[in-house]
Amino acid sequence: MKTQYKISIAMAAFAACGATAIAAELPAGTVISKANFDQVKNETFEGKTITSMVPEKVEWQIRNWGLTIKLRKSEPITMDPKMVEATKKYAGEVKYDAAMNEVSGYKAGLPFPDVASSDPNYAAKLVWNFYYGAPVGQVMNLNFTYLLVDGDKGLERTQNWVLSRYFMKNRLTGKNTPVEGDGSVFAKTLLFATYPQDVKGLGLFTIRYDGPQLEENSVYIKSSRRTRRLPGGAWMDPIGGTDQLKDDLEVWDARPSWYKSFKYVGKRWILAVAHQSNSSDLSKKGTPDAWPTVDLKNPPYWNPVDAWEPREVHVIEAVAPDAHPYSKKIMYMDVAYPRIYMGEAYDKKGEFWKWLFFSGRPLKGEDGVQTYISGQGHTIDFKRKHATIFVNAPDVKTNSPWTADDVSLGKLEAAGQ
């Protein structure tokens, strides 16, 4: 009996191991939702379990906020050869000041291509790689729509905006390479509304210096038809009446030295939208179907609807300055490419507040250089039960043949007329 009992235990153990070993590999196209999450969480996709690729706050949304994830096979995203060449040529000139968390000598490419995980400033240098080297192009010109969404009532209103950004460094093509001007300015940005009438002309012109000083912001006042200078801390303020801070563009839009500190949490795999579908259908303008990659038909009306793929990411925690509305951000940045897919924002009590989720895709610039553009971005405020979603127009372009004069205070004033 003892021998038979031992054999039974061994067979049971073998069966259990076998069940684990042959856990199903889910096919592309599988949709993960609250209804089936517990059934599929230990199954694999591209050899990794679903539960290992779903961060805690994403699982929480699947279980409580109607988020669904459709799986797609991953595809590599590669750097343009000009970016690789610039990194090799100029990275050796970059200096890092650990006491100030500041960088000097940057011209183009990634500033820290070979940073080691043993470096005590590993997390900070990774964020500097994103700040300087995010391959959004040397000229961005985006026409986009903000969808303002109430979690109980649905789509409240839409606003049309323009974002134009001209980088004075990391210029890979054209006459002024790799730096335009005297090197003191990193980028110039225009952000203004064009619709509806009550917000038309509202906007900012920003000069961001390539140094620790705060940026210079000018706002156009419609009532007086004048511009006025804003305090340097405007980078932490909300954009218009939206849920999105200026600092939330692309999940991260601050000079890294403006934050207190960075902590490297670890490396992991997540599911993200890295090859976004077409996010606008202008033939259906005026209906929810005009934005097919946002679930405007089902509560809470703000969830992305797209195909997610496995991406290996660095998880980085950034502690915000005291004046910032957030206490910290946690970001998920691609290991192979300077791209942040999502972020978590926490309030002053350390409680989860907002989810920042950006969908993107590779895009050839007008000069032939490979760039990467965010086609859609979700800022979800769970305290307010409200969201702001930006959706790019389908004809988005990068690296247009602009000059620095095309992004100026005069352009902001003209837009407000």
Side-chain angles (χ1 to χ4, degrees):
M1 288 296 292
K2 288 184 178 180
T3 301
Q4 186 176 10
Y5 180 69
K6 289 179 180 179
I7 292 174
S8 298
I9 291 176
M11 292 179 64
F14 176 80
C17 291
T20 301
I22 59 171
E25 172 77 3
L26 297 173
T30 298
V31 177
I32 299 169
S33 67
K34 177 181 179 179
N36 69 353
F37 186 81
D38 285 327
Q39 285 71 48
V40 303
K41 67 180 183 180
N42 293 318
E43 297 181 2
T44 62
F45 185 66
E46 296 191 355
K48 292 165 282 292
T49 64
I50 296 302
T51 191
S52 71
M53 295 190 289
V54 177
E56 176 191 353
K57 300 307 180 187
V58 175
E59 179 180 340
W60 176 72
Q61 291 177 75
I62 292 172
R63 294 186 182 278
N64 298 283
W65 295 92
L67 179 65
T68 61
I69 292 177
K70 181 180 180 180
L71 300 177
R72 79 184 297 275
K73 291 292 185 181
S74 60
E75 295 179 52
I77 306 174
T78 57
M79 282 282 193
D80 188 274
K82 289 184 181 295
M83 187 71 170
V84 176
E85 180 185 351
T87 299
K88 292 178 180 178
K89 187 174 182 179
Y90 299 113
E93 301 178 21
V94 176
K95 306 298 180 186
Y96 180 71
D97 181 342
M100 299 295 294
N101 183 26
E102 259 302 331
V103 169
S104 60
Y106 176 78
K107 291 181 179 177
L110 295 180
F112 305 109
D114 301 316
V115 58
S117 58
S118 58
D119 190 321
N121 301 296
Y122 186 50
K125 288 181 178 179
L126 290 174
V127 179
W128 279 105
N129 279 345
F130 171 77
Y131 179 75
Y132 276 133
V136 295
Q138 58 197 38
V139 178
M140 293 171 60
N141 184 29
L142 314 177
N143 293 284
F144 67 92
T145 299
Y146 269 139
L147 310 179
L148 304 182
V149 178
D150 182 291
D152 292 318
K153 301 176 182 177
L155 181 63
E156 295 175 323
R157 66 187 307 210
T158 63
Q159 298 177 353
N160 294 341
W161 288 69
V162 173
L163 173 66
S164 301
R165 180 167 285 175
Y166 189 95
F167 289 92
M168 305 291 282
K169 293 192 172 184
N170 200 23
R171 302 193 61 79
L172 304 180
T173 62
K175 294 184 296 183
N176 301 308
T177 58
V179 177
E180 185 169 341
D182 63 5
S184 64
V185 175
F186 177 50
K188 299 180 179 181
T189 304
L190 272 175
L191 176 65
F192 61 88
T194 61
Y195 172 86
Q197 191 62 36
D198 63 325
V199 297
K200 181 181 178 182
L202 175 68
L204 285 172
F205 170 64
T206 302
I207 297 176
R208 180 165 292 184
Y209 297 99
D210 197 25
Q213 67 268 46
L214 294 178
E215 59 193 15
E216 186 178 302
N217 290 286
S218 298
V219 61
Y220 180 75
I221 309 298
K222 287 180 61 174
S223 58
S224 61
R225 295 191 175 185
R226 293 182 180 179
T227 57
R228 69 177 178 87
R229 188 75 57 85
L230 292 180
W235 66 275
M236 299 179 283
D237 292 342
I239 298 172
T242 73
D243 302 283
Q244 189 176 58
L245 306 186
K246 193 166 178 284
D247 180 33
D248 294 335
L249 294 172
E250 301 283 353
V251 180
W252 180 273
D253 193 39
R255 189 169 179 87
S257 60
W258 296 346
Y259 268 66
K260 284 184 173 183
S261 63
F262 296 90
K263 175 185 176 182
Y264 190 72
V265 178
K267 188 185 293 187
R268 63 171 296 170
W269 287 84
I270 65 168
L271 294 168
V273 180
H275 291 83
Q276 184 205 15
S277 307
N278 190 355
S279 55
S280 298
D281 185 348
L282 299 184
S283 68
K284 298 178 180 178
K285 186 176 180 180
T287 73
D289 294 328
W291 301 284
T293 52
V294 183
D295 187 4
L296 292 169
K297 297 179 180 179
N298 298 293
Y301 310 104
W302 58 49
N303 283 318
V305 181
D306 215 322
W308 304 48
E309 65 187 80
R311 307 299 304 184
E312 189 177 22
V313 296
H314 300 292
V315 184
I316 300 169
E317 178 183 299
V319 178
D322 292 340
H324 201 291
Y326 305 152
S327 63
K328 66 180 180 180
K329 276 185 181 179
I330 295 177
M331 301 171 290
Y332 298 78
M333 175 181 169
D334 200 301
V335 167
Y337 201 74
R339 165 73 183 174
I340 298 175
Y341 295 109
M342 66 180 75
E344 301 162 9
Y346 291 78
D347 66 16
K348 292 298 188 183
K349 296 179 181 179
E351 297 175 352
F352 179 55
W353 182 5
K354 296 180 186 178
W355 189 53
L356 314 173
F357 179 80
F358 280 66
S359 309
R361 66 182 186 277
L363 177 70
K364 282 283 187 182
E366 290 190 68
D367 59 355
V369 170
Q370 182 68 57
T371 66
Y372 191 96
I373 196 72
S374 287
Q376 187 168 308
H378 296 240
T379 301
I380 302 173
D381 184 333
F382 288 100
K383 287 185 179 182
R384 291 184 61 204
K385 203 175 180 182
H386 198 274
T388 298
I389 304 164
F390 100 82
V391 184
N392 267 331
D395 59 347
V396 59
K397 296 178 180 179
T398 60
N399 287 4
S400 302
W402 284 20
T403 69
D405 292 337
D406 292 314
V407 181
S408 64
L409 183 58
K411 296 292 184 180
L412 175 63
E413 292 171 339
Q417 302 300 319

